[in-house]
Amino acid sequence: MERPVFELGMIFKSSQIFRKTVRIHVILDTRPIQLVKNFGKKVKYVCEKPCEWRVYASPMKKTTSYQIETILNKHSCMPTFNQLQINSTWIAEYYEKEIGMNPTWHVATFHKKIFNDLKCNISKYVVYRAKIRALMKINGTHSAQFDQVWDYAYEVKRVLPDSIVKILFKDPEPETESGRFMRMYVCMGPLKYAFTQFCRHLVGLDGCHLKGPFGGQLLAAVGVDSNDGMYPIAWAFVESETTESWTWFLQFLA
Ligand SMILES: [Zn+2]
């Protein structure tokens, strides 16, 4: 979906996915296209300019899939800088991964990147709204995942009873009445067993920064297996790498 190329007979899971793909294709192709209306269930796109480019897809029997039945993938028109297909919702979705990796990107940097990638004229305001939209979605999903840490711990211990999962919460503050997630230590039972039985008696420790809206650091203990490969023993998410957080990690590891 990053750079779709159409071919005759290509199948899409639904008409929505076909439409989405056409949109990405024309934006990257910097050409104006339009949907031809009133064709029942068929989806037909043609070039807005007097130009032969076209792609038609029709529903396949007994499924929701769509298949390209007509395609003429060459424009005789000139590229355009004014892409009406691009809006903040589209940019937010297309660049979601990159925004998630670079949440502190300045709007000007992001604007320049979009111009270089897509060769289109869009305002900085549209870029600003796209960034906000993407970050709201990313942070939302991250928060929702932190909500599930207790379920995760319970499930790990249910499936692998010898496992150790420890969660540290900061006590609730009087004004918010809700605690704050601080740390989580995980050591899966089978990994622990295999380390003691089959690995060399050597433990490596290291920490690294985590990218994402909440930051934090990952502490890890690894061993060396009989094939000279790294062998994960236990890991922990902590707020930062300090003597106190390492001590917390190591007491469980021991
Ligand atoms: Zn054209």
Side-chain angles (χ1 to χ4, degrees):
M1 289 296 269
E2 272 175 23
R3 199 161 276 276
V5 178
F6 292 118
E7 274 177 35
L8 192 67
M10 204 176 235
I11 297 170
F12 299 83
K13 218 173 179 183
S14 64
S15 75
Q16 284 83 358
I17 292 178
F18 173 63
R19 287 162 194 256
K20 206 171 159 182
T21 316
V22 170
R23 195 171 180 192
I24 296 171
H25 175 80
V26 300
I27 288 173
L28 298 179
D29 215 20
T30 61
R31 297 306 207 292
I33 57 132
Q34 63 183 23
L35 184 66
V36 187
K37 293 209 171 111
N38 304 324
F39 270 100
K41 284 190 165 174
K42 279 192 182 183
V43 185
K44 294 189 171 191
Y45 285 99
V46 295
C47 186
E48 264 181 24
K49 299 278 164 64
C51 162
E52 292 284 286
W53 185 93
R54 67 201 55 228
V55 57
Y56 303 165
S58 349
M60 296 174 77
K61 276 182 193 146
K62 291 181 187 167
T63 70
T64 55
S65 302
Y66 270 66
Q67 186 169 29
I68 296 184
E69 55 156 36
T70 303
I71 181 161
L72 220 158
N73 209 359
K74 241 183 186 161
H75 287 272
S76 50
C77 63
M78 296 294 285
T80 172
F81 276 116
N82 295 314
Q83 270 285 9
L84 299 176
Q85 302 281 338
I86 301 179
N87 57 23
S88 59
T89 314
W90 185 85
I91 295 173
E93 197 180 319
Y94 191 72
Y95 285 98
E96 189 183 309
K97 236 190 208 166
E98 279 185 84
I99 296 172
M101 301 275 277
N102 306 284
T104 53
W105 252 0
H106 283 291
V107 171
T109 315
F110 189 21
H111 184 252
K112 210 170 173 184
K113 179 174 171 49
I114 292 174
F115 182 80
N116 283 334
D117 288 355
L118 309 176
K119 310 283 179 285
C120 65
N121 255 340
I122 48 161
S123 72
K124 280 191 184 159
Y125 182 65
V126 171
V127 176
Y128 167 75
R129 286 191 28 181
K131 186 185 157 186
I132 299 287
R133 190 181 283 271
L135 284 178
M136 273 170 65
K137 191 175 164 209
I138 295 162
N139 293 349
T141 49
H142 272 89
S143 311
Q145 295 208 10
F146 277 107
D147 282 346
Q148 294 180 35
V149 290
W150 293 111
D151 292 348
Y152 177 79
Y154 179 81
E155 190 60 15
V156 169
K157 285 190 208 167
R158 187 185 70 82
V159 180
L160 308 166
D162 292 335
S163 306
I164 298 175
V165 183
K166 300 280 180 190
I167 296 169
L168 181 72
F169 260 78
K170 203 170 149 189
D171 285 339
E173 283 151 18
E175 60 269 27
T176 57
E177 288 182 359
S178 61
R180 180 184 282 260
F181 173 80
M182 297 290 284
R183 298 172 189 166
M184 178 160 72
Y185 171 91
V186 181
C187 179
M188 306 274 186
L191 291 178
K192 183 167 55 170
Y193 174 75
F195 173 70
T196 53
Q197 296 297 309
F198 308 116
C199 288
R200 288 183 215 158
H201 292 165
L202 183 79
V203 177
L205 301 170
D206 202 5
C208 70
H209 285 276
L210 291 171
K211 282 194 167 187
F214 298 112
Q217 281 182 279
L218 185 79
L219 309 183
V222 296
V224 180
D225 67 15
S226 48
N227 204 27
D228 269 345
M230 285 223 281
Y231 183 91
I233 306 165
W235 51 91
F237 172 92
V238 297
E239 71 284 13
S240 63
E241 214 182 339
T242 59
T243 308
E244 209 262 311
S245 62
W246 268 116
T247 310
W248 186 81
F249 176 78
L250 290 173
Q251 70 181 6
F252 296 129
L253 185 73

mmCIF file of all heavy atoms in Angstrom, residues 51-83:
data_model
loop_
_atom_site.group_PDB
_atom_site.id
_atom_site.type_symbol
_atom_site.label_atom_id
_atom_site.label_comp_id
_atom_site.label_asym_id
_atom_site.label_seq_id
_atom_site.Cartn_x
_atom_site.Cartn_y
_atom_site.Cartn_z
ATOM 1 N N CYS A 51 -7.698 12.820 -21.227
ATOM 2 C CA CYS A 51 -6.567 11.879 -21.133
ATOM 3 C C CYS A 51 -7.161 10.474 -21.033
ATOM 4 O O CYS A 51 -8.279 10.300 -20.562
ATOM 5 C CB CYS A 51 -5.769 12.256 -19.883
ATOM 6 S SG CYS A 51 -4.669 10.998 -19.253
ATOM 7 N N GLU A 52 -6.431 9.495 -21.502
ATOM 8 C CA GLU A 52 -6.966 8.143 -21.622
ATOM 9 C C GLU A 52 -6.930 7.326 -20.325
ATOM 10 O O GLU A 52 -7.521 6.256 -20.252
ATOM 11 C CB GLU A 52 -6.147 7.370 -22.678
ATOM 12 C CG GLU A 52 -6.321 7.882 -24.082
ATOM 13 C CD GLU A 52 -7.662 7.450 -24.659
ATOM 14 O OE1 GLU A 52 -7.796 6.268 -24.996
ATOM 15 O OE2 GLU A 52 -8.581 8.294 -24.724
ATOM 16 N N TRP A 53 -6.213 7.793 -19.308
ATOM 17 C CA TRP A 53 -6.012 6.991 -18.095
ATOM 18 C C TRP A 53 -7.340 6.530 -17.503
ATOM 19 O O TRP A 53 -8.271 7.324 -17.371
ATOM 20 C CB TRP A 53 -5.238 7.803 -17.050
ATOM 21 C CG TRP A 53 -4.885 7.002 -15.826
ATOM 22 C CD1 TRP A 53 -3.735 6.335 -15.615
ATOM 23 C CD2 TRP A 53 -5.694 6.795 -14.657
ATOM 24 N NE1 TRP A 53 -3.765 5.716 -14.392
ATOM 25 C CE2 TRP A 53 -4.964 5.973 -13.781
ATOM 26 C CE3 TRP A 53 -6.973 7.206 -14.277
ATOM 27 C CZ2 TRP A 53 -5.450 5.561 -12.546
ATOM 28 C CZ3 TRP A 53 -7.460 6.796 -13.048
ATOM 29 C CH2 TRP A 53 -6.700 5.985 -12.185
ATOM 30 N N ARG A 54 -7.473 5.286 -17.169
ATOM 31 C CA ARG A 54 -8.692 4.783 -16.528
ATOM 32 C C ARG A 54 -8.410 3.482 -15.790
ATOM 33 O O ARG A 54 -7.485 2.747 -16.149
ATOM 34 C CB ARG A 54 -9.814 4.554 -17.546
ATOM 35 C CG ARG A 54 -9.541 3.424 -18.554
ATOM 36 C CD ARG A 54 -10.381 3.584 -19.775
ATOM 37 N NE ARG A 54 -10.187 4.891 -20.366
ATOM 38 C CZ ARG A 54 -11.186 5.693 -20.735
ATOM 39 N NH1 ARG A 54 -12.428 5.315 -20.592
ATOM 40 N NH2 ARG A 54 -10.929 6.856 -21.276
ATOM 41 N N VAL A 55 -9.201 3.233 -14.737
ATOM 42 C CA VAL A 55 -9.142 1.928 -14.079
ATOM 43 C C VAL A 55 -10.537 1.598 -13.552
ATOM 44 O O VAL A 55 -11.172 2.401 -12.871
ATOM 45 C CB VAL A 55 -8.048 1.882 -12.969
ATOM 46 C CG1 VAL A 55 -8.228 2.953 -11.917
ATOM 47 C CG2 VAL A 55 -7.993 0.523 -12.304
ATOM 48 N N TYR A 56 -11.038 0.449 -13.962
ATOM 49 C CA TYR A 56 -12.374 0.009 -13.554
ATOM 50 C C TYR A 56 -12.238 -1.305 -12.781
ATOM 51 O O TYR A 56 -11.469 -2.181 -13.180
ATOM 52 C CB TYR A 56 -13.291 -0.304 -14.756
ATOM 53 C CG TYR A 56 -13.496 0.818 -15.754
ATOM 54 C CD1 TYR A 56 -14.033 0.526 -17.013
ATOM 55 C CD2 TYR A 56 -13.176 2.138 -15.450
ATOM 56 C CE1 TYR A 56 -14.237 1.528 -17.951
ATOM 57 C CE2 TYR A 56 -13.371 3.146 -16.387
ATOM 58 C CZ TYR A 56 -13.890 2.833 -17.637
ATOM 59 O OH TYR A 56 -14.086 3.812 -18.565
ATOM 60 N N ALA A 57 -13.038 -1.410 -11.703
ATOM 61 C CA ALA A 57 -13.075 -2.687 -10.975
ATOM 62 C C ALA A 57 -14.519 -3.114 -10.768
ATOM 63 O O ALA A 57 -15.404 -2.269 -10.566
ATOM 64 C CB ALA A 57 -12.386 -2.545 -9.629
ATOM 65 N N SER A 58 -14.770 -4.418 -10.830
ATOM 66 C CA SER A 58 -16.137 -4.908 -10.613
ATOM 67 C C SER A 58 -16.144 -5.949 -9.505
ATOM 68 O O SER A 58 -15.132 -6.620 -9.258
ATOM 69 C CB SER A 58 -16.725 -5.575 -11.856
ATOM 70 O OG SER A 58 -15.948 -5.361 -12.954
ATOM 71 N N PRO A 59 -17.324 -6.098 -8.845
ATOM 72 C CA PRO A 59 -17.427 -7.086 -7.771
ATOM 73 C C PRO A 59 -17.287 -8.501 -8.322
ATOM 74 O O PRO A 59 -17.757 -8.787 -9.419
ATOM 75 C CB PRO A 59 -18.837 -6.856 -7.206
ATOM 76 C CG PRO A 59 -19.576 -6.099 -8.242
ATOM 77 C CD PRO A 59 -18.577 -5.354 -9.066
ATOM 78 N N MET A 60 -16.635 -9.379 -7.536
ATOM 79 C CA MET A 60 -16.494 -10.773 -7.956
ATOM 80 C C MET A 60 -17.659 -11.575 -7.386
ATOM 81 O O MET A 60 -18.191 -11.230 -6.332
ATOM 82 C CB MET A 60 -15.171 -11.331 -7.453
ATOM 83 C CG MET A 60 -13.992 -10.621 -8.070
ATOM 84 S SD MET A 60 -12.450 -11.167 -7.344
ATOM 85 C CE MET A 60 -12.235 -12.749 -8.151
ATOM 86 N N LYS A 61 -18.016 -12.634 -8.073
ATOM 87 C CA LYS A 61 -19.167 -13.435 -7.657
ATOM 88 C C LYS A 61 -18.953 -14.079 -6.295
ATOM 89 O O LYS A 61 -17.857 -14.575 -6.014
ATOM 90 C CB LYS A 61 -19.467 -14.507 -8.706
ATOM 91 C CG LYS A 61 -20.316 -13.946 -9.826
ATOM 92 C CD LYS A 61 -20.663 -14.993 -10.865
ATOM 93 C CE LYS A 61 -21.233 -14.281 -12.080
ATOM 94 N NZ LYS A 61 -20.895 -14.932 -13.325
ATOM 95 N N LYS A 62 -19.988 -14.048 -5.458
ATOM 96 C CA LYS A 62 -20.050 -14.745 -4.167
ATOM 97 C C LYS A 62 -19.006 -14.276 -3.154
ATOM 98 O O LYS A 62 -18.720 -14.979 -2.183
ATOM 99 C CB LYS A 62 -19.911 -16.266 -4.360
ATOM 100 C CG LYS A 62 -21.110 -16.888 -5.032
ATOM 101 C CD LYS A 62 -20.926 -18.374 -5.171
ATOM 102 C CE LYS A 62 -22.043 -18.972 -5.990
ATOM 103 N NZ LYS A 62 -21.761 -20.335 -6.410
ATOM 104 N N THR A 63 -18.362 -13.127 -3.377
ATOM 105 C CA THR A 63 -17.434 -12.576 -2.378
ATOM 106 C C THR A 63 -17.631 -11.065 -2.326
ATOM 107 O O THR A 63 -18.386 -10.509 -3.111
ATOM 108 C CB THR A 63 -15.946 -12.822 -2.728
ATOM 109 O OG1 THR A 63 -15.633 -12.010 -3.864
ATOM 110 C CG2 THR A 63 -15.628 -14.249 -3.012
ATOM 111 N N THR A 64 -16.911 -10.424 -1.411
ATOM 112 C CA THR A 64 -16.971 -8.958 -1.364
ATOM 113 C C THR A 64 -15.795 -8.375 -2.135
ATOM 114 O O THR A 64 -15.594 -7.171 -2.154
ATOM 115 C CB THR A 64 -16.902 -8.471 0.099
ATOM 116 O OG1 THR A 64 -15.714 -9.027 0.687
ATOM 117 C CG2 THR A 64 -18.107 -8.889 0.907
ATOM 118 N N SER A 65 -14.981 -9.239 -2.756
ATOM 119 C CA SER A 65 -13.772 -8.778 -3.434
ATOM 120 C C SER A 65 -14.084 -8.034 -4.733
ATOM 121 O O SER A 65 -15.129 -8.242 -5.359
ATOM 122 C CB SER A 65 -12.874 -9.957 -3.770
ATOM 123 O OG SER A 65 -12.542 -10.644 -2.595
ATOM 124 N N TYR A 66 -13.142 -7.194 -5.131
ATOM 125 C CA TYR A 66 -13.244 -6.443 -6.385
ATOM 126 C C TYR A 66 -12.039 -6.760 -7.247
ATOM 127 O O TYR A 66 -10.929 -6.935 -6.732
ATOM 128 C CB TYR A 66 -13.301 -4.930 -6.105
ATOM 129 C CG TYR A 66 -14.719 -4.447 -5.934
ATOM 130 C CD1 TYR A 66 -15.480 -4.873 -4.848
ATOM 131 C CD2 TYR A 66 -15.302 -3.596 -6.872
ATOM 132 C CE1 TYR A 66 -16.790 -4.461 -4.701
ATOM 133 C CE2 TYR A 66 -16.615 -3.175 -6.725
ATOM 134 C CZ TYR A 66 -17.352 -3.612 -5.648
ATOM 135 O OH TYR A 66 -18.642 -3.218 -5.516
ATOM 136 N N GLN A 67 -12.266 -6.824 -8.574
ATOM 137 C CA GLN A 67 -11.168 -7.164 -9.478
ATOM 138 C C GLN A 67 -11.064 -6.122 -10.584
ATOM 139 O O GLN A 67 -12.092 -5.665 -11.113
ATOM 140 C CB GLN A 67 -11.430 -8.547 -10.088
ATOM 141 C CG GLN A 67 -10.260 -9.029 -10.924
ATOM 142 C CD GLN A 67 -10.405 -10.488 -11.314
ATOM 143 O OE1 GLN A 67 -11.537 -10.982 -11.451
ATOM 144 N NE2 GLN A 67 -9.289 -11.177 -11.494
ATOM 145 N N ILE A 68 -9.845 -5.764 -10.927
ATOM 146 C CA ILE A 68 -9.643 -4.795 -12.012
ATOM 147 C C ILE A 68 -9.949 -5.475 -13.342
ATOM 148 O O ILE A 68 -9.363 -6.496 -13.683
ATOM 149 C CB ILE A 68 -8.202 -4.248 -12.017
ATOM 150 C CG1 ILE A 68 -7.954 -3.459 -10.731
ATOM 151 C CG2 ILE A 68 -7.956 -3.371 -13.246
ATOM 152 C CD1 ILE A 68 -6.592 -2.800 -10.661
ATOM 153 N N GLU A 69 -10.926 -4.888 -14.074
ATOM 154 C CA GLU A 69 -11.316 -5.508 -15.349
ATOM 155 C C GLU A 69 -10.891 -4.650 -16.536
ATOM 156 O O GLU A 69 -10.810 -5.137 -17.657
ATOM 157 C CB GLU A 69 -12.829 -5.749 -15.384
ATOM 158 C CG GLU A 69 -13.626 -4.485 -15.114
ATOM 159 C CD GLU A 69 -15.022 -4.517 -15.681
ATOM 160 O OE1 GLU A 69 -15.628 -5.596 -15.676
ATOM 161 O OE2 GLU A 69 -15.492 -3.449 -16.119
ATOM 162 N N THR A 70 -10.647 -3.367 -16.298
ATOM 163 C CA THR A 70 -10.167 -2.498 -17.372
ATOM 164 C C THR A 70 -9.088 -1.600 -16.801
ATOM 165 O O THR A 70 -9.258 -1.059 -15.702
ATOM 166 C CB THR A 70 -11.314 -1.591 -17.886
ATOM 167 O OG1 THR A 70 -12.386 -2.421 -18.316
ATOM 168 C CG2 THR A 70 -10.855 -0.704 -19.035
ATOM 169 N N ILE A 71 -8.013 -1.450 -17.530
ATOM 170 C CA ILE A 71 -6.968 -0.541 -17.042
ATOM 171 C C ILE A 71 -6.187 0.034 -18.206
ATOM 172 O O ILE A 71 -5.858 -0.666 -19.168
ATOM 173 C CB ILE A 71 -6.038 -1.246 -16.027
ATOM 174 C CG1 ILE A 71 -4.980 -0.262 -15.533
ATOM 175 C CG2 ILE A 71 -5.363 -2.471 -16.605
ATOM 176 C CD1 ILE A 71 -4.314 -0.674 -14.256
ATOM 177 N N LEU A 72 -5.955 1.341 -18.133
ATOM 178 C CA LEU A 72 -5.085 2.004 -19.098
ATOM 179 C C LEU A 72 -4.238 2.935 -18.257
ATOM 180 O O LEU A 72 -4.680 3.985 -17.817
ATOM 181 C CB LEU A 72 -5.922 2.783 -20.109
ATOM 182 C CG LEU A 72 -5.405 2.704 -21.547
ATOM 183 C CD1 LEU A 72 -6.500 3.020 -22.510
ATOM 184 C CD2 LEU A 72 -4.181 3.554 -21.757
ATOM 185 N N ASN A 73 -3.037 2.485 -17.942
ATOM 186 C CA ASN A 73 -2.282 3.112 -16.860
ATOM 187 C C ASN A 73 -1.286 4.163 -17.345
ATOM 188 O O ASN A 73 -0.232 4.324 -16.762
ATOM 189 C CB ASN A 73 -1.567 2.012 -16.064
ATOM 190 C CG ASN A 73 -1.368 2.417 -14.625
ATOM 191 O OD1 ASN A 73 -1.746 3.522 -14.235
ATOM 192 N ND2 ASN A 73 -0.766 1.559 -13.837
ATOM 193 N N LYS A 74 -1.618 4.897 -18.421
ATOM 194 C CA LYS A 74 -0.697 5.918 -18.921
ATOM 195 C C LYS A 74 -1.424 7.241 -19.071
ATOM 196 O O LYS A 74 -2.470 7.312 -19.705
ATOM 197 C CB LYS A 74 -0.142 5.473 -20.266
ATOM 198 C CG LYS A 74 1.353 5.334 -20.214
ATOM 199 C CD LYS A 74 1.940 4.958 -21.526
ATOM 200 C CE LYS A 74 3.438 4.697 -21.313
ATOM 201 N NZ LYS A 74 4.038 3.938 -22.339
ATOM 202 N N HIS A 75 -0.847 8.282 -18.451
ATOM 203 C CA HIS A 75 -1.437 9.614 -18.592
ATOM 204 C C HIS A 75 -0.790 10.328 -19.768
ATOM 205 O O HIS A 75 0.424 10.234 -19.966
ATOM 206 C CB HIS A 75 -1.176 10.447 -17.341
ATOM 207 C CG HIS A 75 -1.994 10.034 -16.174
ATOM 208 N ND1 HIS A 75 -3.249 10.538 -15.936
ATOM 209 C CD2 HIS A 75 -1.747 9.168 -15.174
ATOM 210 C CE1 HIS A 75 -3.721 10.006 -14.818
ATOM 211 N NE2 HIS A 75 -2.829 9.160 -14.343
ATOM 212 N N SER A 76 -1.639 11.096 -20.508
ATOM 213 C CA SER A 76 -1.052 11.975 -21.528
ATOM 214 C C SER A 76 -1.124 13.411 -21.028
ATOM 215 O O SER A 76 -0.659 14.334 -21.678
ATOM 216 C CB SER A 76 -1.799 11.816 -22.858
ATOM 217 O OG SER A 76 -3.184 11.929 -22.640
ATOM 218 N N CYS A 77 -1.712 13.580 -19.805
ATOM 219 C CA CYS A 77 -1.807 14.925 -19.225
ATOM 220 C C CYS A 77 -0.548 15.242 -18.416
ATOM 221 O O CYS A 77 0.280 14.378 -18.177
ATOM 222 C CB CYS A 77 -3.045 15.030 -18.351
ATOM 223 S SG CYS A 77 -3.001 13.911 -16.945
ATOM 224 N N MET A 78 -0.441 16.490 -17.956
ATOM 225 C CA MET A 78 0.722 16.927 -17.180
ATOM 226 C C MET A 78 0.464 16.699 -15.681
ATOM 227 O O MET A 78 -0.683 16.754 -15.246
ATOM 228 C CB MET A 78 0.966 18.428 -17.411
ATOM 229 C CG MET A 78 1.335 18.755 -18.842
ATOM 230 S SD MET A 78 2.927 18.042 -19.283
ATOM 231 C CE MET A 78 4.017 19.167 -18.419
ATOM 232 N N PRO A 79 1.512 16.496 -14.906
ATOM 233 C CA PRO A 79 1.323 16.388 -13.460
ATOM 234 C C PRO A 79 0.779 17.697 -12.885
ATOM 235 O O PRO A 79 0.971 18.754 -13.471
ATOM 236 C CB PRO A 79 2.734 16.139 -12.930
ATOM 237 C CG PRO A 79 3.539 15.728 -14.082
ATOM 238 C CD PRO A 79 2.917 16.333 -15.296
ATOM 239 N N THR A 80 0.126 17.591 -11.733
ATOM 240 C CA THR A 80 -0.410 18.784 -11.086
ATOM 241 C C THR A 80 0.139 18.917 -9.666
ATOM 242 O O THR A 80 0.376 17.923 -8.993
ATOM 243 C CB THR A 80 -1.955 18.734 -11.047
ATOM 244 O OG1 THR A 80 -2.410 19.822 -10.256
ATOM 245 C CG2 THR A 80 -2.476 17.441 -10.457
ATOM 246 N N PHE A 81 0.341 20.149 -9.232
ATOM 247 C CA PHE A 81 0.788 20.375 -7.862
ATOM 248 C C PHE A 81 -0.387 20.499 -6.902
ATOM 249 O O PHE A 81 -0.219 20.461 -5.699
ATOM 250 C CB PHE A 81 1.636 21.652 -7.778
ATOM 251 C CG PHE A 81 3.061 21.408 -8.144
ATOM 252 C CD1 PHE A 81 3.612 22.005 -9.258
ATOM 253 C CD2 PHE A 81 3.849 20.580 -7.370
ATOM 254 C CE1 PHE A 81 4.933 21.777 -9.599
ATOM 255 C CE2 PHE A 81 5.171 20.347 -7.701
ATOM 256 C CZ PHE A 81 5.718 20.948 -8.823
ATOM 257 N N ASN A 82 -1.582 20.723 -7.474
ATOM 258 C CA ASN A 82 -2.759 20.911 -6.610
ATOM 259 C C ASN A 82 -3.548 19.618 -6.507
ATOM 260 O O ASN A 82 -4.398 19.330 -7.335
ATOM 261 C CB ASN A 82 -3.649 22.035 -7.148
ATOM 262 C CG ASN A 82 -2.916 23.346 -7.076
ATOM 263 O OD1 ASN A 82 -2.301 23.663 -6.066
ATOM 264 N ND2 ASN A 82 -2.950 24.097 -8.172
ATOM 265 N N GLN A 83 -3.201 18.841 -5.505
ATOM 266 C CA GLN A 83 -3.842 17.540 -5.338
ATOM 267 C C GLN A 83 -5.042 17.659 -4.421
ATOM 268 O O GLN A 83 -4.892 17.826 -3.212
ATOM 269 C CB GLN A 83 -2.824 16.567 -4.738
ATOM 270 C CG GLN A 83 -2.038 15.833 -5.764
ATOM 271 C CD GLN A 83 -2.850 14.740 -6.427
ATOM 272 O OE1 GLN A 83 -4.062 14.629 -6.226
ATOM 273 N NE2 GLN A 83 -2.204 13.929 -7.220
#
